[in-house]
Every structure is written in structure tokens, then in C-alpha cells.
Amino acid sequence: MMPPTSTPPALRWLLGSYGIGLTAGGIALIAAPDWANRMEAGVTGTFVEHLAQSRGAAVLALGVIALAALRRPERHRRLLPGLAWSAALLGGLFLMVQLSPQTTPCRWIAVLFCSLWAAGLAWQAGRSMGEQDAPMSPPRLTEPGHMLILSFALWTGITGLLWLVAPGPLGSKLEALAGPGAGYFAAARGAVDLPLGWIAWTVRDRVLSAAARPAIIGIFVANIILSIAGLIAQLESIATPSRWLIELLHIGWMAGAGALLWQGSKSDNS
């Protein structure tokens, strides 16, 4: 067993401020996507509102993961690179908008905070590079919990990467579908989906451990919102037959993550 390590106050501040900031941002994207889109990039529409709500699910999940990790930060250091990565990507996107005609003074605050989070969390992650987790037996590929988190990690990470490189074919398609400037929202979604998928990947081999709990909570929250957002989209003009399959995936991940949390709480109480 590893000896207990003290938690630097800076790490608590970083996790707390990051968690509050992204939780608030995720709620804004989910509850008021039209307003959030106009504030962020000056463009909105039915499809980009759906993109905003879907991105809000990942933003909220990242914020919840950081807040859940506050309970025992020293036990959740493997999450720090993914959180730092997300802050860096978001800061880069905000800076990109600031260098466009949509620049506003208040957005510099978002750039500043994202830069501080990215640098601070990366620094804290670097400090823990020499620390090793307690060894665990590798999971069998047939274990449901392992397969659940592995599938979510691969889906979210790969689709996030595709969204992030949206200035290519995906971005062109969005521009044609939703108007000029809409390609930004594809890249913005990838900036949070890709780190969320990576965080899920890091806990795939210890899904019932306490160290994985913040990530599982984030996956559970994200898929609740994604299931609801997908159903709303299917009742609007942007409905597509293929989205029903994605809807089933999100419902399955939501139910599976909920079951893992229930199993984990039972083991904590036993």
C-alpha cells in the first residue's frame, strides 16, 4: 500500500475553480444553448444549439469529475493530464475567437483562466509522474464494466478527434448546413469530448475502484444529458434515423455507469 501523501493547496484550488467554471459553463450550454452560442461565437441555429447541448454534457462531466476528485485529490492524479489537456484546448479555441471579428474583452477572462488551469494542472500532473498506483490484476476483456468504459472511451475519444479536425470535411458540411461560423462548434465539441474519452480510457482497468469514481460519475452525468439532448433532437427538424442508434448507446452507457456507481457504493459500505 502506498503511504498517504499530502495534497498541495494549489491542487485543491485548481480542481475547485476548474470544476466550478466548467460546471457553470456546461449548465449554460445545456439550459440556454442559443444564448451561449451567441455569447461564444456570435452564431446560432437549431443544429448548432443541439451541438451546444451535446458539448455541454461533456463540459459538465469534466467539471463534475474535477469537483468529485476534490475529496481525495492525491488519489486522482491520473485524471490531471486529461483535465489540463481540456483546459488547453478550450483556451486555444477561445483565443481563436478573440483573433476574429467576434472579439470581446470579457472573453480574455476565459482565455486567462483556461491558461492558468492548463499550466497548473499540467504542473501538478508532472509532479506525480514518479508516483505509482497500487498494482491491480488486469481485467478480462469479457468483464462488462471494463467493456462499458472501454467502449465509451473509444467512441468519445475517436469522435472527439474527428470533431476537433472539423475544419476539414466535417467543418465544411457544418458550414453548408448551419451557416458561416458553425464549423467552430464542431471543433469546440471535440475539445471536450477528446479529453473526456482519454480520462475514461485511464480508468478502464479499475472501474470499481475508488480512484475511478470521479470519472464514472462524469460518464454517468454526461450520458444522462446526451440521452435527453439526443431525444430532443429527434423530435425536431434535425432528426435522423442513425441518431436512434447513438441514443441507445448513450442510454446503455448511462445505465452501465449507474450500475458501476451502485456497485462501488455497496463495496464501500461492506
Side-chain angles (χ1 to χ4, degrees), residues 205-226:
D205 58 347
R206 53 189 67 217
V207 294
L208 293 179
S209 72
R213 202 71 46 80
I216 305 299
I217 293 172
I219 292 168
F220 180 62
V221 169
N223 282 289
I224 291 175
I225 305 303
L226 287 167

Side-chain angles (χ1 to χ4, degrees), residues 117-209:
W117 290 330
L121 290 167
W123 171 58
Q124 289 293 332
R127 289 184 61 184
S128 64
M129 287 299 290
E131 300 175 9
Q132 298 296 326
D133 293 324
M136 298 186 67
S137 57
R140 296 189 302 272
L141 289 179
T142 53
E143 291 181 3
H146 174 74
M147 289 302 300
L148 177 93
I149 301 305
L150 181 63
S151 62
F152 177 82
L154 290 173
W155 173 271
T156 308
I158 292 171
T159 56
L161 181 61
L162 292 175
W163 283 117
L164 195 57
V165 297
L170 281 177
S172 304
K173 189 173 182 180
L174 266 180
E175 295 280 350
L177 180 66
Y184 164 83
F185 295 102
R189 180 168 179 185
V192 288
D193 277 5
L194 183 57
L196 181 60
W198 188 89
I199 287 173
W201 176 267
T202 65
V203 302
R204 71 195 185 282
D205 58 347
R206 53 189 67 217
V207 294
L208 293 179
S209 72

Side-chain angles (χ1 to χ4, degrees), residues 53-69:
Q53 289 182 318
S54 299
R55 175 163 58 104
V59 173
L60 179 59
L62 289 168
V64 167
I65 288 170
L67 292 176

Side-chain angles (χ1 to χ4, degrees), residues 68-131:
L70 268 174
R71 186 177 179 185
R72 292 280 301 276
E74 68 282 356
R75 189 166 59 185
H76 305 301
R77 286 184 177 273
R78 63 163 49 202
L79 304 176
L80 298 184
L83 299 179
W85 192 9
S86 68
L89 289 172
L90 285 172
L93 284 167
F94 291 142
L95 182 60
M96 182 178 72
V97 179
Q98 283 298 83
L99 300 178
S100 76
Q102 296 296 332
T103 182
T104 61
C106 63
R107 196 178 289 114
W108 286 116
I109 299 174
V111 174
L112 174 63
F113 270 98
C114 285
S115 300
L116 289 173
W117 290 330
L121 290 167
W123 171 58
Q124 289 293 332
R127 289 184 61 184
S128 64
M129 287 299 290
E131 300 175 9

